[in-house]
């Protein structure tokens, strides 16, 4: 059965998934002695991916459980796996499917939950000089051009959005954009929301859905948690 964007995926996976981690290391004393020591500049160098990992908000900072989403949690696993019937709407489709907008150097997505049935996906992305501004420009164009809706598809299913509206985003960043989109699921209207912020060369996108509405077959009205946004944005600003 084809699934509408995140209607089945977030419910089947994100609720029950836990974070697991393991690791280990070993070294040979003589071999290590032969290796040149890292210079001070090398020791301080941080990759874009490592930088994002440090910028992702934690439970201690936000009060929300923040963890990696499950495999298959979104309509598409990558930008290349998604097709959009209206090309101009593609950045919106990415923003509503845990994918980065534009062409980032690195990206990281976690899902934040607390009591209740709201799931908020936080996607952090870092860009080369000027690329973040370009990505935000394309997202704004999509929001202005796709009010009548669009359809995103992948080998996992199809997501037909009926409408897109631009809303007011909180202040405090270099740029921001907020949207609401609707689609039908089992005869009920579901409203999903995004808020996207640029801080220099870093973009954070929040995407929230009301999972309880899908489970209970009722209309859904997703609301992005203001306290979560405040906590995450504080680490970026």
């Amino acid at each position: 059965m084809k699934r509408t964007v995140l209607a089945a995926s977030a419910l089947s996976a994100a609720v029950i998934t836990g974070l697991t981690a393991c690791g280990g290391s070993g070294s040979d004393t003589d071999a290590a002695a032969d290796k040149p020591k890292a210079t001070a500049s090398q020791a301080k160098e941080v990759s874009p991916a490592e930088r994002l990992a440090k910028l992702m908000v934690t439970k201690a900072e936000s009060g929300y459980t923040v963890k990696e989403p499950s495999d298959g949690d979104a309509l598409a696993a990558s930008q290349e796996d998604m097709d959009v019937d209206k090309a101009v709407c593609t950045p919106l489709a990415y923003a509503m499917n845990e994918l980065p907008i534009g062409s980032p150097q690195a990206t990281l997505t976690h899902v934040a939950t607390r009591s209740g049935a709201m799931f908020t996906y936080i996607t952090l992305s870092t860009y080369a000089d000027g690329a973040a501004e370009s990505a935000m420009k394309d997202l704004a164009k999509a929001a202005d051009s796709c009010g009548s809706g669009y359809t995103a598809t992948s080998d996992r299913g199809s997501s037909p959005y009926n409408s897109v509206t631009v809303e007011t985003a909180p202040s405090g960043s270099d740029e921001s954009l907020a949207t609401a989109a609707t689609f039908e699921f089992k005869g009920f209207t579901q409203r999903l929301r995004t808020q996207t912020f640029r801080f220099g060369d870093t973009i954070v996108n929040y995407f929230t859905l009301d999972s309880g509405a899908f489970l209970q077959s009722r209309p859904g009205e997703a609301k992005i948690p203001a306290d979560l946004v405040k906590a995450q944005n504080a680490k970026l600003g």
Side-chain angles (χ1 to χ4, degrees), residues 103-173:
S103 302
Q105 295 175 321
T107 187
L108 176 67
T109 296
H110 277 26
V111 57
T113 58
R114 199 158 63 179
S115 57
M118 296 290 173
F119 286 75
T120 300
Y121 293 84
I122 306 170
T123 298
L124 293 176
S125 304
T126 186
Y127 300 77
D129 289 346
E133 291 96 322
S134 178
M136 289 294 293
K137 181 179 179 180
D138 289 342
L139 182 63
K141 182 178 180 181
D144 289 337
S145 304
C146 302
S148 60
Y150 63 93
T151 298
T153 59
S154 75
D155 58 359
R156 297 175 179 176
S158 177
S159 301
Y161 296 89
N162 298 325
S163 67
V164 176
T165 57
V166 177
E167 300 187 322
T168 301
S171 59
S173 62

Side-chain angles (χ1 to χ4, degrees), residues 13-38:
V15 179
I16 60 176
T17 303
L19 261 174
T20 58
C22 60
S25 61
S27 61
D28 182 273
T29 303
D30 294 335
D34 292 336
K35 293 181 180 179
K37 294 182 179 180

Side-chain angles (χ1 to χ4, degrees), residues 85 144 177:
D85 64 339
D144 289 337
L177 180 71

Side-chain angles (χ1 to χ4, degrees), residues 58-88:
T58 66
K59 183 176 182 179
E61 294 163 337
S62 67
Y64 287 76
T65 298
V66 182
K67 61 185 180 182
E68 295 177 357
S70 302
D71 290 338
D73 217 14
L75 179 67
S78 69
Q79 292 180 343
E80 292 74 22
D81 295 331
M82 180 179 288
D83 292 317
V84 182
D85 64 339
K86 301 176 183 177
V88 69

Side-chain angles (χ1 to χ4, degrees), residues 27-63:
S27 61
D28 182 273
T29 303
D30 294 335
D34 292 336
K35 293 181 180 179
K37 294 182 179 180
T39 65
S41 60
Q42 290 175 325
K44 293 179 180 179
E45 185 175 347
V46 178
S47 71
E50 291 170 333
R51 177 172 173 267
L52 292 182
K54 292 180 179 180
L55 289 174
M56 181 63 71
V57 73
T58 66
K59 183 176 182 179
E61 294 163 337
S62 67

